[in-house]
């Protein structure tokens, strides 16, 4: 019971500290607004995502098209809104996949300890030697542009560090009184892991997850650069940036707007992650 | 220490084997083969070609053939470039990628440490906020934007630097690719070294050093930096690995004939042997650099050494 | 005091870094570009697209390879620089029999290999045997199927090469016997697959049918073209230098050519604009408009003997009905595609064979008519209540293809109210799916191997390897066969025209536009004329201010 109270205090403290960090707060608000916009896109987007006004090809920002149009006369704002759905989806889902694998791997290794632990961690060490980016490229080339596949593949890369972090956390918690007490009371290993250990690893996991999302979004942009992004006429930020980079001399808006929003999003997520780290780390007080 | 190296190298063997197997299975299940062209090849010709490259043998046989050749150091002939062996192509691309990665990491460390330690020493002043904001921007601007932007500004508009290529006699042709590739890592280095320095500057031995009346210069350079850079050093292994594997973007943007570009081409061309060869090489390099980073880290920090000996 | 020192320290450190950068940047200053120096050095810098696979004329299949080989080897005849027929190459003159089936080539005794040895008639017999040998597995062997018995030899039906229609009467006389009278035979001789290779060097590094030996490396390569191979840096550059043994060396004025490999159009574009290249292979669609305005003299748009079209898989239930295919074709506004999307002054297609005002000009028509399209669609049984099932457009990853596919998708949606999905796959997957008829509609392009309608129309023969639509039509097959056997040009064209009408009525493929070559050329390069197959022999070029 005591443990619970102190945990919730910890969270309240963290929230207070986070609120004091203006950059992190701004980041959080930006990300929140962005998610909201992405969810509401079908209702608020000024046009259909594939509506072409071919007479109005590559026109600059105007009243009808606030951020201008692309080569086929499609509204850039609309395409950025729809693109945000894909990019955020890739970012969050892939991170979620990494989180699931990483947390379970790390918790099991940390809780069981001993031989199992060292074997499982040896495997993680070994997997660091695999050139994953390269395998993802191959995967996307070979099996085509499949969003689910992209989630799984990127998730499979990012879980390694997550597992290490969680394992370190769990190892240090394994010998604490409340776990020993639970064991003494005959609570099963699985429920110790899920009910007691997991909530206590949440802090670092959230921090790391926040920092993983921007990395995944960057990876998506790289894949788009190689022509391995989402299927046209759908758009993603990576795709928009790639197209924009090609025609930046003729139509600056096609690069500037998507790249700015993309960078600000990464900024926000990074600041939020840093803020969370400071907030959740009592030492920083 | 020797034990650590030995252990890691031992682990590397199953990893490499796994990489080879996964890659092998993946490329052979890919649609299309190395000899599909837009002018369709007649079935007679296709048969001849498959026979010449042993592609008509059962898959397991090809796999074991490949492994036994690999043990002899032979990565096979390229399927895309009939006159080339994979060994030859890798050794033509590798030095360039290596050089690119090396310069980029040097650029990243130099710039990153300067920015980072400056920020740490001037904590909470504009000399802290400015470099840290810049470095955050460095992390957040993808190289696919930075590269074309730099070559447009410095190559076309100002006409100062070559827009592409990696030309040995012309060192300035290497500036833009190095900046493009190194910037994100410089930014990480800056953030890491700032954190490391902050931690060290608050510690007793720095206070002692200052109390002894050592000049601030000596304190910073000889005492603080050494401890403050440990996080940077442990980041170097993964960073170099990332640089090598991530070089394909920069190599494509600047048209540099390095290994990363070869790899991407090979993947698109279904150049089976070349894909395998480059993948093996990249894993190998990554393993080596992770190991090196651990060794250097252990040598610099007594705590890490203890950790590993456990 | 301490603080001051620290400040000086940190400032000086920052300064050093910035200074280093400035020195690096300024030291390079404004040096003259390779193109500016080229009048002086007489070096031609060409952007050459992807890295050539090899430089063996009997193995390779591609445009970048062709451009390099054009400098290194020479066939019996040479393309006229202005595209007006053929000039003497290794053959100084030739005679054609009355039935058009027999050619006698008299070889120039000054035609030499780059080691000084004479190019003999026997060299051609050896080379043609090499490409036709089944074990060489040459993709372009079919170029020589016009020779008597060549197809049978290549397919292993006969083993004796002496039965194939090519003989060396003596060192300087080559006799060629054709299966039918083939009016375009000379145009095959400017294709690299018919060019000679030097036997001693081939056999020094392998057998007659070896693939990928080292004979094509600098130092080993022996050719008979205006240039010799000097250097080959993988994925970077190929350098060729003037060949002192070339028979027509006095015509050759450019001393050296450098072919740059690049798989990134943007980077090649930047290279061109920063004065590192004389020739830029392609201009990105998004840039054509602005380059036409800002570089009017350098931006070139010229007719090209190719057709951009959509293949239709007629074996799919949805597309079996001719009326559906006609409706789809009528619902495409080709003029708008050409003007608003591809923007390279391409010609909206009305036939499969590119219309050539001088030679074959098909009398077919294709109109943009949404009303008619909707009517045909209704007749095929589709209406508001019975919606057309979802089909896909397959294309390989490329900005240009994507834009056209997106536009056509939108047009079909607007005019027929059907939903089409775009499927973008990589090149090899695209080829594989086409080969296996695993698609509904797929984008395609065809550039003629030689300037004759046959290069297009024989592709659609029943069961032809490049047909890839599942379509077959006996009447069509007959017409193409009759055209091959026809004795007069008029008769041939009449058969071809009938065949075109069948194609455009049946529509196993929907032609979109006739290609143009869109590229950039620096004004220093003189003697470069538009030709329909984009061939520009280097011996006729010069670099002048």
């Amino acid at each position: 019971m005591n443990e619970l109270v102190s945990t919730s205090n910890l969270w309240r403290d963290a929230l207070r500290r986070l609120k004091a960090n203006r950059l992190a707060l701004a980041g959080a608000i930006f990300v929140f607004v962005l998610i909201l916009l992405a969810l509401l896109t079908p209702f608020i987007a000024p046009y259909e995502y594939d509506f072409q006004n071919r007479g109005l090809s590559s026109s600059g920002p105007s009243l009808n098209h606030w951020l201008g149009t692309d080569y086929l006369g499609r509204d850039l704002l609309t395409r950025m809104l729809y693109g945000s759905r894909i990019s955020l989806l890739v970012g969050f889902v892939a991170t979620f996949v990494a989180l699931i694998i990483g947390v379970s791997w790390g918790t099991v290794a940390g809780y069981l300890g001993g031989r199992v632990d060292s074997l499982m961690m040896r495997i993680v060490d070994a997997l660091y030697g695999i050139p994953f980016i390269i395998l993802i490229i191959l995967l996307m080339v070979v099996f085509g542009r499949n969003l689910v596949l992209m989630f799984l593949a990127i998730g499979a890369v990012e879980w390694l560090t997550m597992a290490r972090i969680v394992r370190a956390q769990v190892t240090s918690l394994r010998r604490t009184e409340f776990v020993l007490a639970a064991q003494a009371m005959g609570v099963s290993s699985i429920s110790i892991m899920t009910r007691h250990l997991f909530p206590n690893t949440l802090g670092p996991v959230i921090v790391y997850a926040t920092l993983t999302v921007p990395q995944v979004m960057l990876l998506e942009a790289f894949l788009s650069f190689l022509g391995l992004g989402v299927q046209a006429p759908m758009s993603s930020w990576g795709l928009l940036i790639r197209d924009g980079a090609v025609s930046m001399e003729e139509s600056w808006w096609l690069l500037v707007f998507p790249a700015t929003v993309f960078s600000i999003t990464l900024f926000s997520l990074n600041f939020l992650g840093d803020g969370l780290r400071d907030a959740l780390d009592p030492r920083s007080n | 220490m020797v034990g650590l190296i030995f252990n890691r190298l031992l682990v590397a063997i199953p990893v490499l084997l796994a990489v080879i197997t996964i890659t092998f299975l993946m490329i052979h299940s890919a649609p299309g083969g190395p000899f599909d062209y837009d002018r369709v090849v007649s079935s007679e010709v296709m048969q001849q070609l498959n026979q010449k490259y042993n592609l008509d043998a059962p898959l397991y046989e090809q796999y074991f053939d490949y492994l036994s050749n690999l043990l002899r150091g032979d990565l096979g002939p390229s399927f895309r470039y009939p006159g080339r062996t994979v060994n030859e192509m890798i050794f033509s691309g590798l030095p360039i990628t290596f050089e690119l990665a090396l310069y980029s990491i040097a650029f990243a460390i130099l710039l990153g440490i300067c920015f980072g330690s400056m920020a740490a020493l001037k904590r909470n002043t504009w000399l802290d906020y400015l470099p840290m904001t810049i470095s955050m921007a460095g992390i957040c601007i993808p190289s696919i934007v930075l590269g074309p932007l730099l070559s447009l500004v410095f190559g076309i508009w100002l006409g100062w630097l070559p827009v592409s290529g990696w030309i040995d006699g012309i060192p300035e042709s290497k500036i833009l690719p190095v900046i493009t590739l190194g910037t994100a890592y410089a930014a990480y280095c800056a953030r890491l070294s700032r954190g490391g320095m902050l931690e060290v500057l608050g510690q007793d031995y720095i206070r002692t050093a200052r109390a002894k009346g050592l000049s601030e210069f000596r304190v910073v350079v000889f005492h603080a930096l050494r401890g403050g850079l440990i996080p940077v050093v442990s980041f170097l292994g993964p960073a170099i690995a990332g640089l090598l594997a991530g070089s394909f973007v920069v190599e494509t943007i600047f048209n540099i004939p390095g290994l990363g570009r070869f790899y991407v081409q090979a993947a698109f061309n279904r150049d089976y042997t070349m894909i395998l060869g480059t993948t093996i090489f990249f894993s190998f390099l990554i393993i080596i650099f992770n190991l090196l980073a651990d060794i250097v880290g252990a040598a610099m920090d007594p705590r890490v050494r203890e950790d590993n000996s456990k | 005091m301490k603080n001051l020192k620290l400040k000086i320290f940190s400032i000086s450190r920052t300064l050093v870094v910035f200074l280093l950068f400035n020195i690096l940047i300024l030291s390079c200053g404004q040096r003259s570009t390779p193109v500016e120096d080229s009048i002086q050095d007489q070096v031609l810098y060409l952007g050459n697209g992807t890295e050539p696979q090899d430089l063996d004329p009997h193995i390779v299949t591609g445009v970048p390879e062709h451009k390099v080989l054009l400098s290194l080897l020479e066939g019996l005849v040479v393309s006229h620089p202005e595209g007006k027929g053929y000039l003497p190459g290794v053959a100084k003159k030739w005679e054609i029999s009355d039935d058009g089936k027999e050619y006698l080539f008299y070889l120039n005794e000054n035609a030499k290999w780059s080691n000084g040895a004479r190019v003999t008639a026997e060299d051609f017999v050896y080379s043609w045997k090499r490409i036709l040998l089944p074990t060489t597995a040459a993709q372009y062997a079919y170029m020589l199927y016009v020779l008597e018995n060549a197809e049978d030899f290549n397919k292993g039906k006969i083993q004796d090469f002496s039965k194939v229609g090519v003989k060396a009467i003596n060192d300087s006389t080559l006799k060629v016997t054709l299966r039918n009278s083939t009016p375009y035979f000379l145009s095959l001789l400017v294709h690299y697959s018919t060019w000679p290779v030097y036997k001693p060097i081939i056999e020094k590094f392998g057998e007659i049918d070896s693939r990928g030996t080292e004979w094509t490396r600098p130092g080993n390569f022996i050719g008979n073209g205006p240039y010799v191979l000097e250097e080959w840096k993988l994925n970077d550059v190929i350098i060729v230098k003037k060949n002192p043994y070339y028979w027509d060396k006095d015509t050759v004025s450019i001393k050296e050519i450098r072919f740059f490999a690049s798989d990134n159009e943007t980077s090649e574009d930047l290279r061109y604009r920063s004065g590192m290249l004389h020739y830029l292979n392609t201009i990105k669609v998004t840039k054509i408009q602005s380059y036409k305005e800002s570089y009017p003299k350098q931006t070139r748009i010229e007719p090209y003997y190719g057709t951009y079209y959509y293949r239709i898989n007629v074996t799919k239930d949805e597309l079996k009905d001719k009326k559906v295919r006609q409706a789809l074709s009528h619902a495409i506004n080709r003029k708008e595609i050409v003007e608003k999307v591809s923007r390279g002054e391409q010609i909206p297609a009305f036939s499969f064979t590119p219309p050539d005002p001088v030679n074959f000009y098909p009398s077919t028509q294709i109109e943009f008519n949404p009303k008619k399209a909707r009517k045909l669609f209704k007749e095929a049984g589709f209406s508001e209540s019975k919606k057309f099932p979802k089909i896909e457009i397959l294309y390989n990853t490329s900005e240009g293809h994507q834009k056209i596919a997106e536009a056509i998708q939108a047009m079909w949606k607007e005019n027929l109210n059907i939903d089409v999905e775009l499927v973008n796959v990589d090149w090899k997957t695209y080829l594989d799916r086409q080969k296996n008829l695993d698609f509904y509609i797929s984008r395609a392009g065809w550039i003629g191997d030689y300037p004759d309608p046959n290069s297009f129309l024989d592709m659609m023969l029943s069961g032809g390897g490049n047909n890839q639509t599942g379509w077959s039509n006996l009447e069509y097959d007959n017409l193409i066969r009759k055209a091959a056997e026809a004795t007069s040009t008029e008769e041939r064209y009449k058969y071809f025209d009938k065949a075109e009408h069948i194609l455009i009525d049946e529509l196993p493929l929907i032609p979109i536009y006739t290609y143009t070559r869109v590229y950039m050329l620096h004004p220093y390069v003189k003697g470069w004329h538009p030709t329909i197959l984009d061939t520009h022999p280097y011996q006729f070029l010069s670099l002048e201010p």
Side-chain angles (χ1 to χ4, degrees):
Chain A
M1 220 36 213
N2 255 342
E3 200 57 43
L4 267 179
V5 174
S6 86
T7 320
S8 71
N9 270 343
L10 192 78
W11 286 104
R12 210 174 301 152
D13 281 357
L15 201 63
R16 185 177 46 78
R17 279 194 290 263
L18 187 66
K19 274 184 188 160
N21 184 340
R22 272 171 299 163
L23 272 176
L25 196 64
I29 292 172
F30 184 84
V31 172
F32 179 73
V33 171
L34 204 68
I35 293 174
L36 209 63
L37 286 178
L39 289 175
L40 293 177
T41 294
F43 308 104
I44 55 168
Y47 298 88
E48 285 284 309
Y49 71 94
D50 54 355
F51 171 76
Q52 303 175 359
N53 183 353
R54 286 187 293 278
L56 207 64
S57 160
S58 307
S59 68
S62 65
L63 273 181
N64 283 335
H65 300 278
W66 292 355
L67 303 185
T69 62
D70 70 0
Y71 189 80
L72 289 169
R74 292 176 299 199
D75 183 57
L76 181 61
L77 177 61
T78 307
R79 291 184 62 74
M80 278 170 63
L81 282 169
Y82 277 96
S84 72
R85 290 163 75 96
I86 300 283
S87 292
L88 291 176
L89 198 69
V90 170
F92 285 103
V93 175
T95 305
F96 187 69
V97 171
L99 204 130
I100 298 277
I101 308 176
V103 169
S104 13
W105 193 276
T107 313
V108 170
Y111 181 70
L112 295 180
R115 286 250 169 105
V116 182
D117 176 32
S118 78
L119 178 73
M120 286 175 82
M121 282 302 117
R122 201 42 76 72
I123 291 176
V124 170
D125 284 346
L127 289 179
Y128 268 106
I130 293 180
F132 274 108
I133 297 186
I134 281 194
L135 288 184
I136 288 182
I137 294 175
L138 192 60
L139 199 69
M140 299 306 283
V141 168
V142 168
F143 298 108
R145 290 143 196 74
N146 183 330
L147 269 188
V148 179
L149 205 64
M150 202 194 282
F151 296 150
L152 291 178
I154 299 179
V157 180
E158 302 287 344
W159 70 270
L160 296 174
T161 311
M162 188 80 81
R164 277 190 171 176
I165 293 170
V166 173
R167 182 239 171 211
Q169 198 77 5
V170 171
T171 310
S172 68
L173 287 171
R174 195 163 53 118
R175 296 276 161 242
T176 52
E177 287 101 9
F178 77 99
V179 176
L180 294 175
Q183 279 171 338
M185 275 156 46
V187 182
S188 73
S189 293
I190 291 184
S191 81
I192 291 179
M193 281 191 259
T194 52
R195 297 257 178 84
H196 301 281
L197 290 174
F198 171 66
N200 279 290
T201 61
L202 222 51
V205 166
I206 290 177
V207 172
Y208 183 71
T210 323
L211 296 173
T212 305
V213 175
Q215 286 186 25
V216 175
M217 291 172 70
L218 268 175
L219 195 51
E220 192 269 337
F222 278 170
L223 289 175
S224 293
F225 173 76
L226 291 176
L228 299 172
V230 292
Q231 203 66 259
M234 225 7 186
S235 69
S236 74
W237 285 350
L239 207 66
L240 290 173
I241 289 174
R242 182 194 68 154
D243 288 353
V246 170
S247 50
M248 64 176 149
E249 285 169 88
E250 299 83 38
S251 331
W252 54 268
W253 57 92
L254 291 180
L255 177 67
V256 169
F257 294 127
T260 311
V261 174
F262 185 72
S263 295
I264 292 179
T265 308
L266 298 193
F267 242 76
S268 304
L269 284 163
N270 277 316
F271 278 129
L272 180 61
D274 283 358
L276 282 171
R277 174 163 44 211
D278 292 346
L280 289 168
D281 182 3
R283 276 190 308 164
S284 68
N285 240 8
Chain B
M1 184 67 76
V2 177
L4 168 83
I5 298 173
F6 184 73
N7 252 333
R8 289 296 203 80
L9 290 181
L10 211 64
V11 173
I13 294 170
V15 172
L16 279 177
L17 206 63
V19 170
I20 295 170
T21 315
I22 295 171
T23 315
F24 188 87
L25 289 176
M26 234 159 43
I27 48 182
H28 281 278
S29 56
F35 307 118
D36 280 325
Y37 296 94
D38 53 347
R39 266 110 163 112
V40 169
V41 175
S42 71
S43 54
E44 293 91 356
V45 169
M46 192 60 106
Q47 223 175 341
Q48 289 284 351
L49 283 171
N50 283 336
Q51 209 176 344
K52 282 203 173 191
Y53 289 97
N54 199 26
L55 285 175
D56 51 356
L59 209 56
Y60 67 88
E61 210 178 299
Q62 290 182 45
Y63 178 72
F64 288 114
D65 273 0
Y66 185 82
L67 285 185
S68 74
N69 284 337
L70 185 67
L71 282 180
R72 274 182 274 117
D74 177 10
L75 296 169
S78 161
F79 287 1
R80 162 79 184 175
Y81 304 103
R84 309 269 171 185
T85 65
V86 173
N87 294 46
E88 178 194 356
M89 287 174 62
I90 286 181
F91 285 106
S92 108
L94 187 69
I96 294 172
T97 300
F98 212 71
E99 209 188 332
L100 174 66
L102 214 65
Y103 290 160
S104 304
I105 205 77
F107 167 81
I109 292 173
L110 217 70
L111 202 70
I113 291 175
C114 288
F115 269 33
S117 38
M118 183 166 76
L121 289 169
K122 295 281 159 189
R123 194 178 183 187
N124 294 340
T125 65
W126 65 272
L127 274 174
D128 179 12
Y129 298 137
L130 186 72
M132 282 305 107
T133 315
I134 293 177
S135 77
M136 189 60 99
I139 294 175
C140 296
I141 297 177
S143 52
I144 59 170
V145 174
L146 190 62
L149 209 61
L150 286 177
S151 54
L152 185 67
V153 173
F154 291 101
I156 301 290
W157 290 350
L158 298 173
W160 288 352
L161 297 168
V163 287
S164 72
W166 186 263
I167 308 154
D168 271 333
I170 309 175
E172 61 263 30
S173 71
K174 302 180 181 178
I175 295 179
L176 293 183
V178 166
I179 294 179
T180 307
L181 186 55
T183 299
Y185 294 92
Y188 276 114
C189 279
R191 291 165 61 80
L192 287 171
S193 55
R194 176 180 180 269
M197 285 293 276
L198 277 182
E199 194 154 304
V200 170
L201 284 175
Q203 273 176 10
D204 292 341
Y205 74 96
I206 297 293
R207 280 188 213 135
T208 319
R210 279 186 179 145
K212 277 199 295 187
L214 290 178
S215 73
E216 188 70 23
F217 181 81
R218 287 184 69 99
V219 171
V220 171
V221 176
F222 295 106
H223 297 270
L225 264 181
R226 228 184 118 185
L229 293 188
I230 290 174
V232 178
V233 171
S234 54
F235 168 69
L236 282 186
I240 295 182
L243 276 171
L244 284 171
S247 59
F248 64 88
V249 173
V250 173
E251 287 175 1
T252 311
I253 294 174
F254 291 99
N255 212 32
I256 297 169
L259 203 54
R261 212 174 115 211
F262 284 0
Y263 174 77
V264 174
Q265 283 176 3
F268 282 116
N269 288 328
R270 304 285 188 277
D271 193 341
Y272 295 159
T273 41
M274 188 66 193
I275 297 174
L276 277 165
T278 29
T279 311
I280 292 168
F281 235 85
F282 276 126
S283 325
F284 186 70
L285 287 174
I286 290 174
I287 290 169
I288 295 288
F289 279 110
N290 276 330
L291 183 58
L292 276 180
D294 283 355
I295 293 170
V296 174
M300 272 179 80
D301 183 4
R303 280 172 306 165
V304 178
R305 201 179 313 166
E306 257 167 47
D307 249 18
N308 271 322
S309 59
K310 254 189 245 169
Chain C
M1 192 60 199
K2 268 178 199 164
N3 263 338
L4 186 70
K5 263 191 180 167
L6 181 66
K7 204 169 253 170
I8 293 172
F9 162 58
S10 75
I11 289 176
S12 61
R13 197 174 34 183
T14 322
L15 269 180
V16 167
V17 173
F18 276 93
L19 263 178
L20 271 175
F21 264 86
N22 284 330
I23 290 167
L24 271 173
I25 287 180
L26 292 179
S27 64
C28 33
Q30 302 272 356
R31 61 167 68 178
S32 59
T33 65
V35 167
E36 280 163 359
D37 292 340
S38 66
I39 300 291
Q40 186 70 33
D41 338 320
Q42 290 290 312
V43 179
L44 180 64
Y45 300 88
L46 301 177
N48 200 38
T50 52
E51 168 74 13
Q53 289 178 41
D54 198 354
L55 292 176
D56 186 326
H58 301 148
I59 305 278
V60 301
T61 57
V63 177
E65 289 82 358
H66 170 231
K67 290 193 172 158
V68 180
L69 284 172
L70 191 62
S71 72
L72 296 174
L73 293 169
E74 185 174 273
L76 288 166
V77 300
V78 171
S79 296
H80 189 283
E82 293 171 45
K84 298 174 183 162
Y86 301 96
L87 301 173
V90 173
K92 62 182 174 194
K93 60 180 177 113
W94 50 91
E95 287 163 6
I96 309 171
S97 69
D98 289 340
D99 62 358
K101 285 189 184 177
E102 243 182 55
Y103 282 67
L104 273 179
F105 290 97
Y106 299 98
L107 270 48
N108 185 337
E109 36 307 311
N110 289 325
K112 301 256 170 66
W113 293 100
S114 52
N115 64 352
R118 244 199 91 180
V119 182
T120 62
E122 195 53 54
D123 286 330
F124 279 90
V125 177
Y126 177 80
S127 303
W128 291 5
K129 179 177 177 186
R130 181 167 185 254
I131 189 168
L132 284 171
L133 265 175
T135 45
T136 310
Q139 278 105 305
Y140 259 126
Y142 70 81
M143 291 292 281
L144 282 174
Y145 281 3
V146 295
L147 300 187
E148 200 176 50
N149 292 329
E151 187 168 359
D152 286 346
F153 180 78
N154 184 241
K155 292 194 167 153
K157 285 179 196 150
I158 55 171
Q159 317 296 327
D160 183 5
F161 188 71
S162 63
K163 294 214 173 89
V164 178
V166 56
K167 301 241 158 12
I169 291 175
N170 54 41
D171 267 2
S172 50
T173 319
L174 185 73
K175 184 179 150 192
V176 176
T177 319
L178 304 182
R179 187 158 62 174
N180 294 308
S181 103
T182 310
Y184 55 89
F185 179 61
L186 285 183
S187 67
L188 300 178
L189 300 180
V190 296
H191 191 274
Y192 52 83
S193 56
T194 66
W195 291 349
V197 291
Y198 188 53
K199 182 176 174 183
I201 201 78
I202 298 284
E203 304 205 334
K204 184 177 165 193
F205 291 98
E207 309 285 317
I208 181 170
D209 57 353
S210 301
R211 285 174 75 89
T213 65
E214 297 204 347
W215 82 268
T216 53
R217 298 301 174 84
N220 301 342
F221 197 102
I222 289 183
N224 68 333
Y227 293 87
V228 284
L229 185 62
E230 174 80 17
E231 205 182 329
W232 184 357
K233 278 197 211 151
L234 205 56
N235 250 326
D236 192 5
V237 65
I238 292 178
I239 301 175
V240 299
K241 285 217 157 101
K242 202 172 155 173
N243 177 5
Y245 286 106
Y246 182 56
W247 65 272
D248 196 14
K249 61 175 178 292
D250 297 338
T251 319
V252 184
S253 80
I254 294 170
K255 283 186 190 149
E256 184 180 314
I257 308 175
R258 299 186 179 201
F259 301 91
F260 288 92
S262 159
D263 33 34
N264 176 351
E265 288 172 14
T266 311
S267 119
E268 203 172 278
D269 176 283
L270 289 171
R271 259 187 198 223
Y272 177 85
R273 286 194 291 147
S274 61
M276 291 162 85
L277 296 174
H278 285 106
Y279 170 80
L280 170 67
N281 224 341
T282 41
I283 305 179
K284 287 216 158 209
V285 279
T286 45
K287 290 182 182 285
I288 296 175
Q289 203 60 39
S290 79
Y291 284 4
K292 277 201 315 205
E293 285 153 23
S294 42
Y295 307 93
K297 277 194 184 149
Q298 307 185 31
T299 307
R300 303 268 191 129
I301 298 183
E302 288 155 9
Y304 195 30
Y305 203 60
T307 303
Y308 192 91
Y309 62 99
Y310 272 23
R311 280 199 173 104
I312 299 189
N313 183 352
V314 300
T315 62
K316 290 270 182 196
D317 285 339
E318 296 85 343
L319 300 165
K320 247 181 194 157
D321 190 345
K322 178 166 102 177
K323 283 185 176 140
V324 171
R325 306 198 293 263
Q326 287 170 339
L328 291 173
S329 172
H330 283 306
I332 298 174
N333 187 344
R334 292 172 178 74
K335 191 160 170 282
E336 197 177 308
I337 287 181
V338 168
E339 281 167 8
K340 302 268 167 60
V341 186
S342 62
R343 288 197 210 175
E345 297 175 22
Q346 292 90 349
I347 305 154
F350 52 84
S351 58
F352 183 40
T353 314
D356 180 348
V358 190
N359 299 307
F360 178 61
Y361 199 90
S363 63
T364 47
Q365 275 179 342
I366 298 178
E367 56 172 342
F368 167 57
N369 189 340
K371 239 189 216 161
K372 196 168 168 190
R374 276 191 292 271
K375 191 171 151 264
L376 281 161
F377 225 56
K378 222 177 206 164
E379 285 171 27
F382 298 104
S383 59
E384 291 301 319
S385 53
K386 193 188 173 216
K387 256 199 115 180
F388 190 67
K390 202 164 197 154
I391 53 169
E392 299 168 347
I393 298 178
L394 178 77
Y395 64 96
N396 58 302
T397 309
S398 134
E399 228 192 320
H401 301 328
Q402 173 163 332
K403 296 215 150 84
I404 290 170
E406 282 172 328
I408 287 181
Q409 178 191 38
M411 286 171 182
W412 283 345
K413 175 92 193 163
E414 286 155 24
N415 299 329
L416 294 172
N417 193 24
I418 60 172
D419 287 312
V420 179
E421 214 165 303
L422 302 188
V423 180
N424 162 8
V425 294
D426 82 292
W427 179 238
K428 292 281 183 177
T429 309
Y430 158 83
L431 294 176
D432 191 60
R433 289 184 63 172
Q434 280 196 147
K435 196 169 73 181
N436 299 323
L437 287 184
D438 177 19
F439 66 95
Y440 290 88
I441 294 175
S442 112
R443 82 96 215 162
W446 187 261
I447 312 294
D449 287 325
Y450 44 89
D452 188 90
N454 194 55
S455 183
F456 282 80
L457 295 174
D458 80 340
M459 196 176 109
M460 293 309 292
L461 287 173
S462 307
N466 287 310
N467 178 320
Q468 299 187 338
T469 58
W471 180 77
S472 65
N473 184 309
L474 276 180
E475 196 189 341
Y476 181 88
D477 295 354
N478 265 331
L479 285 166
I480 301 302
R481 201 161 301 129
K482 276 186 194 157
E485 286 158 9
T487 44
S488 77
T489 307
E490 212 174 55
E491 198 189 341
R492 280 184 83 224
Y493 286 179
K494 204 179 78 200
Y495 290 129
F496 282 144
D497 198 51
K498 274 190 185 160
E500 272 289 350
H501 275 277
I502 293 178
L503 267 189
I504 297 307
D505 177 57
E506 288 267 324
L507 288 171
L509 47 84
I510 300 183
I512 312 283
Y513 63 70
T514 301
Y515 273 104
T516 48
R517 275 289 294 139
V518 183
Y519 63 97
M520 285 177 108
L521 186 72
H522 196 273
Y524 284 173
V525 184
K526 300 286 188 308
W528 181 295
H529 305 277
T531 61
I532 198 167
L533 284 178
D534 191 33
T535 312
H536 310 276
Y538 305 109
Q539 58 267 42
F540 305 115
L541 301 181
S542 61
L543 286 167
E544 286 156 44

